[in-house]
Amino acid sequence: MRLKDGLILREVAGQFVIVPTGRRVKEVTSIVYISSSAAYLWDYMKDEEFEKEDLVNRVMERYEGVTREKAAEDIGKFLKLLAANNILDDGVAHGSVLVRMPEGKQ
């Protein structure tokens, strides 16, 4: 999986905010705040394809006193937040799309 393009991370008043740019403004309509730990992962994720386990390994290398299970749980929540806000390109359709064909064009 990977992060979608057209997204940048900014620190505003001590908080990290994911900001959509260009065409992503129409797709990412919520303000998404993330923790400093998530911002550390974002720095890696923005340039790489990754799996959940890659992120767990990075957390285990950087932070002391965290268990692998807790890191995996927290990263799972983080990835769900990104997917729910149309930020993560994980190959899974999120939400629903309704397409109406004009009559006689089917």
Side-chain angles (χ1 to χ4, degrees):
M1 68 187 106
R2 66 181 310 113
L3 295 175
K4 291 188 176 180
D5 63 347
L7 299 161
I8 56 175
L9 184 65
R10 292 288 184 247
E11 186 174 359
V12 178
Q15 294 203 359
F16 293 96
V17 182
I18 298 170
V19 180
T21 62
R23 64 183 165 85
R24 288 284 176 236
V25 172
K26 293 180 181 179
E27 297 173 10
V28 180
T29 57
S30 300
I31 296 174
V32 179
Y33 295 95
I34 61 174
S35 69
S36 59
S37 299
Y40 163 73
L41 293 174
W42 180 278
D43 191 49
Y44 168 76
M45 297 163 63
K46 69 182 169 112
D47 298 321
E48 303 285 335
E49 286 196 23
F50 55 88
E51 297 298 326
K52 180 180 176 181
E53 192 62 27
D54 298 326
L55 303 179
V56 170
N57 289 338
R58 291 189 68 80
V59 166
M60 296 306 297
E61 291 169 4
R62 176 157 176 126
Y63 298 100
E64 294 181 19
V66 63
T67 65
R68 183 166 286 279
E69 294 77 24
K70 180 62 175 162
E73 178 186 334
D74 289 349
I75 290 169
K77 290 176 186 176
F78 175 51
L79 293 175
K80 284 181 184 178
L81 172 73
L82 297 180
N85 285 282
N86 207 20
I87 293 169
L88 185 65
D89 186 358
D90 59 359
V92 176
H94 298 276
S96 61
V97 175
L98 175 62
V99 177
R100 294 180 191 247
M101 297 296 292
E103 288 188 36
K105 301 283 183 180
Q106 295 147 2

